Amino acid sequence: MKPNGFGLIGCGIFGTVHARTYAASPHARLVAVCDQDIERARQAAGKYHAGSFTDNWRDLLKNPEIEAVSVATPDFAHTEIVLAALKAGKHVLVEKPLALTVAECEEIIAARKASGVKLMVDFHNRWSIPFNHVKEMTHSGELGDLLMINIRLNDTIYVPTKMLSWAAKSSPAGFLGSHVVDLIRWLTGAEVRKVYSVSRSTVLKNKGIDTPDFYQTILELSGGCTAFIENCWIVAENAPNVFEFSAEFVGSKGSTFVNASHHRMIEKYTQQGPGFPDVTGVVEFNGRLSGFCVAAIEHFIDCIVNDKDPSVTAEDGLAATKVIAAMEESARSGMPVQL
């Protein structure tokens, strides 16, 4: 069977994970890659054996050999590309968040329905083994009734000041909070009904980056559970990892804790500083790529090859963006927002 043709738009840090996954899959053929930096596109095409490269995503979408595309552009640059891809009849895997506004998400959903193609949002934590253990504990009743959730997903200040040239066009809520909101919805099967959030904007603004430093948010869920989430972009740059990710789940019969960043499964202390290397997200061993970030993209490939519906939908993307928008509104107004 001839492998299906895939394209990649956005060859940045996470875009390369998409490229590597397509290149390694026996069921996928990386037809073309695109990046506004033509040299980066050229390097990605060579490294991951793409058939061609370009700096014009419209040209990539015209390629009849491409059946599906990954959109791994910055947060603010999803909507136009995704709408054009759907209009061109391409299946789409888009990085989170689906879009920055509720109206844009709704426009994308309408376009997907009109096109009849598949669209998946890459909320890859749904494939994380630790969080799947938590999901099993909640569904089996081992935790009893889930009462309280605390999740911290933070980045060091390196991310908005050095890694992302476009940080001022996003925020810790959209960039980090969307992951957490989807994770909570997926784990609990409940919807967010009320949002109360506070944020502060001092450190990054003083560096000329007009975006909040952090959000601290309380969510009330439809099933009665409450969640506290923290999303911050100003953790000290000399922290052992570029991100901090921990979660606690408290139920009527027990509790469980996940450390997804400072897990200490492997610790290293070298001249480059201390660190806890990734052992679950993107891992290469004996030439084979694995990890939950890879598994999410492999799920998309499987959906295209075997004509299945993705387990993460555009509607999931909309639900997350609704909560992020409520976080931003609550932080501005100082009042809770009802959903």
Side-chain angles (χ1 to χ4, degrees), residues 286-304:
N286 285 341
R288 185 179 183 278
L289 199 62
S290 64
F292 66 84
C293 295
V294 175
I297 302 168
E298 290 176 336
H299 172 73
F300 179 67
I301 295 172
D302 181 52
C303 289
I304 304 309

Side-chain angles (χ1 to χ4, degrees), residues 71 77-87 92 94 98 108 111 119:
V71 179
H78 289 176
T79 302
E80 182 182 11
I81 298 172
V82 170
L83 288 172
L86 295 173
K87 186 176 181 180
V92 176
V94 59
L98 173 60
I108 289 171
L119 188 150

